Each structure stands twice: as structure tokens, then as C-alpha cells.
Amino acid sequence: MIPIKKEIQARLFELQDLKYRDFQCKLLPTVDPASVIGVRRPELRKLAKKYESILAKREFLKILPHKYYEENNLHGFLLATVKNYDDAVKEVERFLPYVNNWAVCDMIFPKIFGAHLLELFDKIKEWVKKNDTYTVRFAVGMLMRLYLDDAFKPEYPELVAGIRSDEYYINMIVAWYFATALAKQYRKILPFLQEKRLDKWTHNKAIQKAVESYRITEEQKVYLKTLKIK
């Protein structure tokens, strides 16, 4: 029997698209180009679907670190299918230290997390304090995905506003969070910008992304532009 690692790598190379690989490398400055095979996301999803319900999935999730960017993508897709909350947290925490780019980080989203928001927030409070770029980015991403609608509480943007970092990929997700939060909780989020609660770069980037959003009204966009820090 072929080891699952070799089996999956062989399958990934069968799906290789060299032009797409070159395109991907331009978007992933933190990733070694030699580790990018070049597999389009729909093909990766199909491959994840093949393995999600069989023993091979558990075997593959145990293999860290991976050699190829697409193996990390596949790992992220398979984490979405873990059905037990505690197992999902354990697997996410085991995987995050090996994540070295925004694309893999942003695709990690265990579906079971949506049913455990109280417990998950306790973990998020731990993750935002970690000295690891993609663990912090992942934590803010979870707050953006799961806690801006019916589950929203003022303490969530307070937590995000308290993040201070020199890391581009952390500051970008913070800006993205506040831009999205403006679209969903405008009146409650606006004071964070009026009071200049974020650092200058993140503040202005949040406004930029909000102004580019179709979910923000034209009237709101005009006002947000007046809040830019010069």
C-alpha cells in the first residue's frame, strides 16, 4: 500500500497547472516557490472531499510539517470536516505553527466552531496573545466570520482594537475586520475610527477597504473618508 503522503503528493502533481503555479507564487511572497505545485482550489476541494470520510484523512492530518503549499491547503480543507469541537481545536492548534502564509491561514475554518461560540471565544482570547503571525491572524479571522452578526458583542472589536503589531499580515486582517464590522455593525463600530483607536496604517486601511465595499452606503463612505488620518 502506498503511504498516504506519497499518494496525495502524486495526485497533486497529476492536477498541476504550471501557469496557475506562477500566478500563485506572485501572491505568496512568504512561500518558497519550489514548494508550490500549482493546483486550482476547486480541484483541491474535490480531493479533500475524496478523503474527508475515510481513515486516510486522520493519517494525513498527523503528518506535519508538509512539504508542499497544496498539502497545507488540503490540510486546511480537511480540518473543516472534523466533527468534534475539542478535536477540531486540538488539530487547529497543532497545525497553526506550520502555517507560513495568509492563503492557508484564511482557509482554515472547522464548521463545528460555529456551534461552540462561547468556548471558542475563550480560545480566541488566547490566540490573539500568541507571538505568531498566523495564529493571531486566524483568531481575528474567526471573530470576523462568526461574531459580527447575531452573536456580536462590544467586547469583540475591543479585543481586536487592542492588537498592536509590526506584522503586515496581522494589521491587514485587523483592517479587514473593522471594514467588515462597519458593514454589519456600523453604529457600534464607527466610534473606533472616530476615536482613532487603531494605529494610523490600520485605521486608514480599514477605511479604504470599507469605502471599496458595496455593503457600505454612499453617505457612509463620504463620512468615512473624512476620518482618514493624514
Side-chain angles (χ1 to χ4, degrees):
M1 181 180 292
I2 302 174
I4 186 62
K5 180 176 180 178
K6 294 293 185 182
E7 177 185 328
I8 287 178
Q9 287 178 350
R11 182 60 183 141
L12 289 171
F13 274 98
E14 289 174 3
L15 298 169
Q16 185 179 50
D17 181 327
L18 294 178
K19 289 185 177 179
Y20 185 69
R21 180 194 66 187
D22 294 342
F23 170 73
Q24 282 289 93
C25 288
K26 294 176 183 178
L27 301 177
L28 301 167
T30 62
V31 177
D32 179 0
S35 71
V36 180
I37 297 171
V39 180
R40 293 181 180 272
R41 185 163 291 195
E43 296 296 335
L44 285 168
R45 288 188 182 278
K46 289 178 186 177
L47 193 59
K49 192 72 175 176
K50 174 182 177 182
Y51 288 106
E52 71 177 47
S53 62
I54 60 177
L55 181 62
K57 176 183 77 174
R58 281 179 281 172
E59 295 176 7
F60 181 71
L61 291 178
K62 293 177 183 177
I63 302 170
L64 286 171
H66 296 300
K67 181 177 181 179
Y68 295 105
Y69 165 71
E70 284 80 4
E71 288 180 285
N72 284 318
N73 282 330
L74 186 62
H75 197 120
F77 282 136
L78 289 174
L79 286 179
T81 68
V82 177
K83 293 181 168 41
N84 178 275
Y85 171 75
D86 290 331
D87 288 345
V89 169
K90 179 180 177 181
E91 290 299 330
V92 164
E93 291 187 321
R94 202 167 67 84
F95 184 46
L96 282 172
Y98 298 99
V99 174
N100 65 355
N101 65 87
W102 64 269
V104 170
C105 181
D106 293 357
M107 73 166 49
I108 305 170
F109 186 28
K111 296 176 183 177
I112 192 65
F113 279 4
H116 295 267
L117 295 184
L118 290 178
E119 304 101 306
L120 181 62
F121 183 59
D122 287 337
K123 296 303 299 185
I124 287 172
K125 287 187 288 186
E126 294 179 17
W127 293 334
V128 296
K129 296 177 182 177
K130 296 289 186 179
N131 186 29
D132 178 75
T133 297
Y134 296 104
T135 298
V136 177
R137 184 180 173 99
F138 174 75
V140 177
M142 289 299 97
L143 286 171
M144 184 169 64
R145 289 187 183 201
L146 295 171
Y147 297 85
L148 284 178
D149 295 301
D150 293 341
F152 179 81
K153 292 181 181 179
E155 64 187 291
Y156 303 147
E158 288 284 349
L159 181 62
V160 180
I163 296 172
R164 288 293 180 271
S165 175
D166 294 326
E167 292 288 340
Y168 172 83
Y169 290 103
I170 290 177
N171 292 331
M172 182 57 82
I173 195 69
V174 171
W176 187 11
Y177 171 88
F178 276 98
T180 305
L182 282 168
K184 295 190 172 188
Q185 302 286 345
Y186 183 80
R187 292 184 179 179
K188 295 176 181 177
I189 297 300
L190 189 59
F192 286 87
L193 298 176
Q194 292 171 322
E195 298 166 10
K196 298 179 173 58
R197 300 278 304 278
L198 309 176
D199 67 82
K200 178 180 177 179
W201 187 92
T202 307
H203 173 101
N204 287 339
K205 181 61 70 172
I207 291 174
Q208 175 192 326
K209 293 177 75 66
V211 168
E212 292 170 352
S213 173
Y214 68 89
R215 295 181 292 179
I216 302 290
T217 68
E218 290 304 315
E219 183 180 3
Q220 290 169 343
K221 290 178 182 180
V222 169
Y223 178 64
L224 286 171
K225 289 178 183 179
T226 69
L227 299 178
K228 286 187 177 180
I229 301 174
K230 297 181 181 179

